[in-house]
Every structure is written in C-alpha cells, then in structure tokens.
Amino acid sequence: MKRKVGVLGPEGTFSEKAARRLMLDSDICYFTDFDEVIAAVERSDLDIGVVPLENSLEGSVGQTLDALLSRDVQIVGEMNLEVRHCLLGRGSPEDVKVILSHPQALAQCRGYLKRRFSGAEQRTTGSTSHAARLAQEFPEMAAIADAEAGERYGLAIIDRNVQDSDENVTRFAVVGRSTPKPTGFDKTSLAIYLERAEAGALWEVLGEFAVRKINLTKIESRPSKMGLGDYYFFIDLEGHVTDPPVEEALARIRKRAAVTKVLGSYPRTASP
Ligand SMILES: O=C(O)C(=O)C[C@]1(C(=O)O)C=C[C@@H](O)C=C1
C-alpha cells in the first residue's frame, strides 16, 4: 500500500516538491497549514508529513516549531530544497497591482519586490500555490511561487529567480510517530525549557554537550508564550538519542531543565 504523506496545499507547493523528491511512491494529501499536517500525523490519519523547518534567508518557521513542541510526533528525517521563486501572472508586469504569496516567500523576495514593484500591494496567502491559484482568476494579481505551480495554474512567468539570494534553501522535516534506528550519521533535535533561567543555566546545558564532544548544529530561542523574555531553546546536535554520550548528556540536562523534549533523532543530510 502507498504511504499517505501530508503537505501544505493546494497542489504545487514547495512542500509538495520536497515530499515528492523524498518519496516517489506515495499518496499526497493537502492541508491548509503546517499544524494541520502535524496534527494529522499525530492522529495517525497520515503515515508522514513534510513541513518546512527553517530557511536560509528568513530563519525558522515558527508554526512548525510550535507544533513539534506541542504534539506527540517525531522528526524522522530532513531534506534541504533549493527554493527558486518566479513572479507568475496572466498579464504583463505593468498590469500587476497586487502581489500574492505565502509570508515566507514574500519575505524571501523582499528586496526584489521593493526594487521592482514598490507601488504594488502585497497580500499574504496560505501557500505559494494558493497564490498562483488566485492569480489565475484576476489579471491584476501576480503570485510569487514555483515555476511548476505556474504551469499547473496556467500562468505565464513574468520574472524568474526573484528570491533575494541564490542561496535560498529551505530545510524540511519529515514527521512521523516513531524514532528511526541509528545509522551512524544522525541528528537529534531537542526543545529545552529552563524554568528559572539563573545566571549560567544555558551555559551549563551547553557544557553537557561540550564535555562529551557532541557537536551542535543549531541553537535558537523561541518565545515560551508564558511571558515576555521567557524562552524555549531549540537545539540540533550531531548524534542519535541512543548514542551513550547523547544519552548521558540528556540524563544530566533532564535534572536541570523543566522540560527536555526530544523532537526527533533521524539520519542527517550530507549538506549543511
Ligand atoms: O508555500 C509553499 O509553497 C510552502 O511549501 C511553504 C514554504 C515555507 O513556508 O517555507 C516552503 C518553502 C519556501 O520557503 C516558501 C514557502
């Protein structure tokens, strides 16, 4: 039986592109946002979901991090996708009065939009392909989306490669329900909450990794939503949660931190 894979819809999103690159033989199901995808994995309505985690120009995707933290799922894989945006529409550039896209995509093209379309109104949509579907209906609207979404919705390419840098890479998480076995080339993602952030608390947590020569590939803070200045720390490290040094470090950190949640331990991609 084909695996049921959930992504942001409608057809033609970058999330779908990432999912198809990873799993050729699958049934793709479309959802309105990343939390919906992750919730469907949690309910076992899906085998897996593919959601964006972070982008090289715009940073983390907050909704994905929040859903991974609050829901009972595991990251089971990751993949990096080069994101090339096009300006798509039915008319010529002079006809464009409104530019539509997902907030992440508009932000990745901020410089271009300011330079070339400072007079146009920008409106956010649920996804890049949703923008393309809307632009199909209104000639004064143009969408920032993938060239393939343009083909699917019958739009012309007004401009190609409109992202602000060619180094525009989005890292996607593959989300499932159980932890993959160690491969010897793994990554572990954690969320840590230090209730009483005393002086040196974060330093002590990081020290547990440093003394065991565990390499961290990412650390960032995200609001706990319990008050201004109160944060969760999201940490990625090289290694599997069953590797003895990682296990030891986590056992020590659990004594110190109010929350230590393993978001997943999964094979890491060779590219950074
Ligand atoms: O709207 C889409 O096409 C998506 O899959 C979402 C998304 C994102 O939120 O990061 C995915 C990749 C790009 O970074 C831009 C948009």
Side-chain angles (χ1 to χ4, degrees):
M1 213 170 68
K2 284 187 182 177
R3 276 195 295 186
K4 267 180 109 175
V5 180
V7 296
L8 180 69
E11 281 176 54
T13 58
F14 286 100
S15 303
E16 178 179 358
K17 194 173 201 170
R20 289 200 187 278
R21 289 233 175 129
L22 282 164
M23 291 150 277
L24 294 175
D25 200 24
S26 52
D27 271 336
I28 302 271
C29 308
Y30 301 97
F31 291 81
T32 50
D33 64 34
F34 309 129
D35 183 60
E36 291 284 314
V37 175
I38 294 172
V41 174
E42 187 182 41
R43 286 195 305 271
S44 302
D45 286 352
L46 293 173
D47 296 307
I48 44 184
V50 177
V51 288
L53 264 178
E54 61 175 321
N55 170 265
S56 57
L57 301 182
E58 276 306 300
S60 286
V61 180
Q63 195 190 40
T64 300
L65 293 182
D66 289 347
L68 290 171
L69 183 61
S70 63
R71 297 196 178 275
D72 190 13
V73 293
Q74 289 284 301
I75 303 175
V76 299
E78 64 172 356
M79 85 94 78
N80 295 338
L81 182 76
E82 272 190 46
V83 173
R84 299 270 174 267
H85 289 298
C86 291
L87 185 70
L88 307 164
R90 280 174 50 191
S92 55
E94 303 76 59
D95 300 328
V96 176
K97 304 278 179 297
V98 182
I99 297 182
L100 310 168
S101 201
H102 188 273
Q104 273 278 340
L106 288 172
Q108 290 162 22
C109 304
R110 196 179 287 129
Y112 166 84
L113 293 172
K114 201 168 168 189
R115 261 192 331 274
R116 296 288 313 280
F117 290 96
S118 56
E121 184 192 332
Q122 290 177 27
R123 274 191 223 159
T124 59
T125 53
S127 69
T128 56
S129 57
H130 181 207
R133 201 172 69 184
L134 286 169
Q136 191 183 32
E137 293 172 38
F138 305 99
E140 74 280 12
M141 292 189 179
I144 301 269
D146 189 22
E148 285 173 27
E151 270 174 44
R152 198 177 303 243
Y153 296 101
L155 300 172
I157 297 179
I158 300 175
D159 224 345
R160 270 183 200 278
N161 277 328
V162 301
Q163 66 284 341
D164 289 339
S165 160
D166 284 344
E167 292 302 313
N168 191 29
V169 178
T170 299
R171 177 175 164 233
F172 285 86
V174 183
V175 180
R177 285 179 298 277
S178 53
T179 307
K181 291 199 172 65
T183 64
F185 193 73
D186 300 297
K187 190 184 268 187
T188 296
S189 297
L190 306 170
I192 291 176
Y193 179 61
L194 300 160
E195 208 162 21
R196 288 161 287 105
E198 294 146 5
L202 180 62
W203 181 83
E204 278 176 35
V205 165
L206 298 181
E208 299 294 349
F209 299 121
V211 293
R212 293 173 180 83
K213 306 258 182 294
I214 297 168
N215 190 34
L216 305 188
T217 56
K218 173 183 168 178
I219 173 160
E220 85 166 280
S221 54
R222 173 140 186 86
S224 69
K225 305 188 200 306
M226 291 185 282
L228 190 65
D230 198 47
Y231 299 103
Y232 266 88
F233 294 100
F234 285 82
I235 295 174
D236 285 353
L237 55 90
E238 287 175 2
H240 194 271
V241 74
T242 58
D243 294 347
V246 177
E247 256 180 346
E248 269 170 42
L250 286 179
R252 300 270 302 196
I253 291 167
R254 283 204 167 96
K255 292 197 180 123
R256 182 77 183 72
V259 178
T260 307
K261 183 175 179 192
V262 177
L263 304 177
S265 237
Y266 48 91
R268 66 179 200 261
T269 57
S271 51

